[in-house]
Amino acid sequence: MNRHQVVKQIKDEGNRQRLVDPPARNLSQSEAWWARAKEIIPRGTQTLSKGPDQFVDGVTPKYLDHGQGCHVWDVDGNEYIDYPMALGPVLLGYNYAPVVEAVTREIRKGTTFTLMSPLEVQLAELLVEAIPCAEMVRFGKNGADATMAAIRIARAYTGRDHVAFCGYHGCHDWYAITTSLNRGIPRFNAGLIHPFEYNRPQTLEAQFALYPDKIGAVIMEVPAEDPQENFLQRVIDLAHKYGALFILDEICTGFRWSLGGAQEYYGIVPDLGCFGKGMANGFSISAVVGKKEFMKELNDIFFSMTFSGETIGLAASIATIGEIRKKGVIDYIWQQGKKLREGLYRIKGELKVDVEIVGHPPRSGFVFRDALGNESLDIKSLFLQETHKRGVLFGGPVYLSLSHSDEDVERTLDVSYEAMSIVKKSVDEGSVDRFMEGQKMGAVYRSRR
Ligand SMILES: Cc1ncc(COP(=O)(O)O)c(C=O)c1O
């Protein structure tokens, strides 16, 4: 049904009955793989945010088989329009020809060698050209490699061990100790890591006051909201005033807010920057970049891995950056993200559902609120359930790609209208549970601060 038919049906039925369910999907292959995985893979998944507890267990498919553009097919053959886009990396689209061709050329030549590849130099030069703070570059495979390296650089340069942080930065010891998933990490790490709050510079200043001459790194990501009152520059100034380096974690914003990331978008120059996700359209590569004076510390820091110069990620990133430039990708994902957001707000206005679309058009997210105004994962679970049943795979973040066409956005809005109509009914009736067909989603971990 499209939005207009839904409105008619709701009117015809006096809004009393349940909306017609879409045809049932077979999810038996997903469940069969999961039964095997649970026995031999701890927590069943390699990436916590992809596990069944992050979606609606019993309704969301558990395993995907392939993708094309922004569409994905689960292992039972059901098709979806994808919005997490692999949690952000797939900026152009799945099976995107120019990147696949660039990678295939390298695969045929051999993908990792006894000596270095010139692609390392080529990609480093491209990043130096594109990213404001990048004078030197080193590569890793995951975002956590880059943030770990950046923290080591700052600690080495300043001779200080303490870190002030704001946001999420990966699974290594120094950050994971701040979460509820902190087993196996030496406890002393907890005493070295201090949180501060976005858009509240006084919370950073308070940490400098509590730990004078101890904090060597201030690391942050730019979350959903825009910085207020020159917040980013104020954080840089505070870091420098108190003798720390400023690291901008651009794992989510890089190659998305603009080619040069949030630093280019907001016109700031951090000391160091961390990039990953969108830089290679789904192939594995990350980068720590920064000013020469600081990056030179890596001459004497142990940051070396077998696969960090592997040519697949390098070639994919070079091809991806070429496409971003050639196809005007950044403008396009802003534009499509705006269309989606405006459509969702029209639906919200019409149905009076308490939902906010937070973040920027290229990467946003849903925040549903209950009758008391508290954020509700239960209501979000119902929304996800109803969109997944209708072939739109929403999850945590909503990432737009070059492959999200107007037709995809329109279809998503039709499906969202149906899903929000059901959300509205559940809220009016005061019971999400009555509408749930699977298990509601939970949080990946709890922050301990
Ligand atoms: C802001 C930020 N920093 C760091 C990371 C860690 O990246 P990865 O999971 O690739 O190690 C993430 C991952 O989601 C992230 O969002």
Side-chain angles (χ1 to χ4, degrees):
M1 280 196 289
N2 66 30
R3 272 166 282 160
H4 312 292
Q5 288 164 325
V6 175
V7 176
K8 183 168 180 317
Q9 185 190 349
I10 291 173
K11 283 184 183 151
D12 289 351
E13 294 174 351
N15 202 6
R16 276 189 303 277
Q17 286 174 23
R18 184 95 197 259
L19 286 161
V20 175
D21 264 346
R25 290 154 308 140
N26 175 13
L27 296 176
S28 58
Q29 291 300 318
S30 260
E31 295 307 331
W33 283 110
W34 179 242
R36 289 163 65 177
K38 275 192 297 190
E39 296 302 315
I40 54 169
I41 298 175
R43 204 153 162 169
T45 182
Q46 314 305 323
T47 308
L48 299 182
S49 308
K50 297 185 185 180
D53 56 353
Q54 293 308 294
F55 295 91
V56 182
D57 195 350
V59 173
T60 314
K62 292 189 170 63
Y63 294 88
L64 294 177
D65 178 67
H66 64 283
Q68 181 63 49
C70 68
H71 290 230
V72 288
W73 284 260
D74 69 20
V75 287
D76 289 283
N78 304 301
E79 180 180 350
Y80 305 84
I81 302 173
D82 190 11
Y83 282 95
M85 297 303 281
L87 309 176
V90 183
L91 177 73
L92 304 172
Y94 295 101
N95 192 22
Y96 185 82
V99 178
V100 172
E101 280 155 21
V103 164
T104 308
R105 274 196 299 278
E106 294 309 317
I107 290 176
R108 295 200 190 289
K109 287 161 67 180
T111 58
T112 187
F113 299 102
T114 310
L115 302 177
M116 298 171 288
S117 157
L119 294 179
E120 295 170 39
V121 189
Q122 279 178 39
L123 180 57
E125 283 173 352
L126 281 177
L127 298 193
V128 167
E129 197 184 306
I131 300 169
C133 80
E135 293 171 5
M136 296 185 99
V137 179
R138 282 288 298 273
F139 298 113
K141 279 292 164 197
N142 285 286
D145 297 343
T147 54
M148 178 194 75
I151 293 296
R152 275 197 195 156
I153 294 168
R155 282 173 162 165
Y157 184 85
T158 61
R160 299 174 177 184
D161 290 342
H162 290 238
V163 172
F165 77 97
C166 171
Y168 173 75
H169 303 293
C171 72
H172 33 50
D173 284 9
W174 74 261
Y175 181 79
I177 195 74
T178 69
T179 75
S180 55
L181 294 179
N182 60 3
R183 298 185 64 210
I185 301 171
R187 309 306 306 165
F188 69 84
N189 281 285
L192 301 177
I193 310 299
H194 315 296
F196 67 99
E197 290 170 38
Y198 189 69
N199 273 337
R200 296 192 64 216
Q202 66 274 28
T203 59
L204 176 60
E205 191 133 31
Q207 295 294 14
F208 278 119
L210 270 175
Y211 302 96
D213 303 327
K214 290 214 156 60
I215 297 175
V218 174
I219 183 168
M220 64 174 291
E221 58 169 329
V222 179
E225 309 152 56
D226 274 324
Q228 304 297 317
E229 295 173 7
N230 214 11
F231 177 67
L232 296 177
Q233 190 57 49
R234 286 171 79 184
V235 172
I236 295 178
D237 294 345
L238 278 175
H240 291 169
K241 175 176 164 191
Y242 291 104
L245 298 196
F246 174 74
I247 304 163
L248 193 62
D249 178 341
E250 299 245 36
I251 306 296
C252 291
T253 51
F255 303 90
R256 213 164 250 286
W257 267 216
S258 69
L259 181 57
Q263 54 189 275
E264 183 181 39
Y265 183 72
Y266 292 119
I268 56 162
V269 185
D271 298 318
L272 299 164
C274 306
F275 291 80
K277 291 206 193 263
M279 69 185 280
N281 197 41
F283 290 91
S284 171
I285 185 164
S286 62
V288 56
V289 307
K291 297 176 186 164
K292 225 171 224 173
E293 180 185 358
F294 312 124
M295 287 294 289
K296 275 184 171 168
E297 292 292 336
L298 282 171
N299 288 334
D300 302 309
I301 286 174
F302 199 159
F303 180 64
S304 169
M305 290 159 283
T306 306
F307 290 112
S308 37
E310 165 266 340
T311 59
I312 294 182
L314 296 165
S317 188
I318 292 168
T320 300
I321 292 170
E323 289 299 297
I324 294 174
R325 288 198 161 122
K326 200 158 73 191
K327 303 270 169 68
V329 172
I330 305 293
D331 287 347
Y332 183 80
I333 59 174
W334 275 84
Q335 169 199 305
Q336 295 306 84
K338 278 184 193 149
K339 280 184 198 160
L340 182 64
R341 173 185 301 237
E342 283 162 13
L344 289 167
Y345 272 118
R346 275 198 300 277
I347 296 172
K348 168 190 159 131
E350 207 172 306
L351 296 177
K352 311 271 181 293
V353 173
D354 195 350
V355 60
E356 293 302 324
I357 317 300
V358 296
H360 289 79
R363 178 194 193 261
S364 57
F366 292 95
V367 176
F368 286 91
R369 296 193 191 283
D370 61 20
L372 300 172
N374 298 319
E375 181 171 356
S376 170
L377 284 186
D378 287 7
I379 300 177
K380 183 170 176 181
S381 298
L382 178 58
F383 178 71
L384 295 191
Q385 167 180 292
E386 297 302 325
T387 53
H388 297 176
K389 281 163 55 183
R390 291 164 172 80
V392 172
L393 188 56
F394 277 130
V398 177
Y399 281 107
L400 273 296
S401 77
L402 180 65
S403 296
H404 284 91
S405 66
D406 285 347
E407 201 186 337
D408 292 313
V409 171
E410 274 302 304
R411 171 80 194 132
T412 303
L413 292 174
D414 285 343
V415 162
S416 299
Y417 196 101
E418 293 193 36
M420 293 243 196
S421 302
I422 291 165
V423 164
K424 171 70 175 156
K425 279 186 174 197
S426 79
V427 173
D428 288 349
E429 289 181 22
S431 168
V432 167
D433 288 354
R434 193 175 81 67
F435 290 82
M436 286 305 300
E437 295 161 31
Q439 285 178 31
K440 291 176 285 190
M441 64 190 296
V444 176
Y445 61 77
R446 292 179 311 286
S447 170
R448 291 178 56 248
R449 314 254 174 176

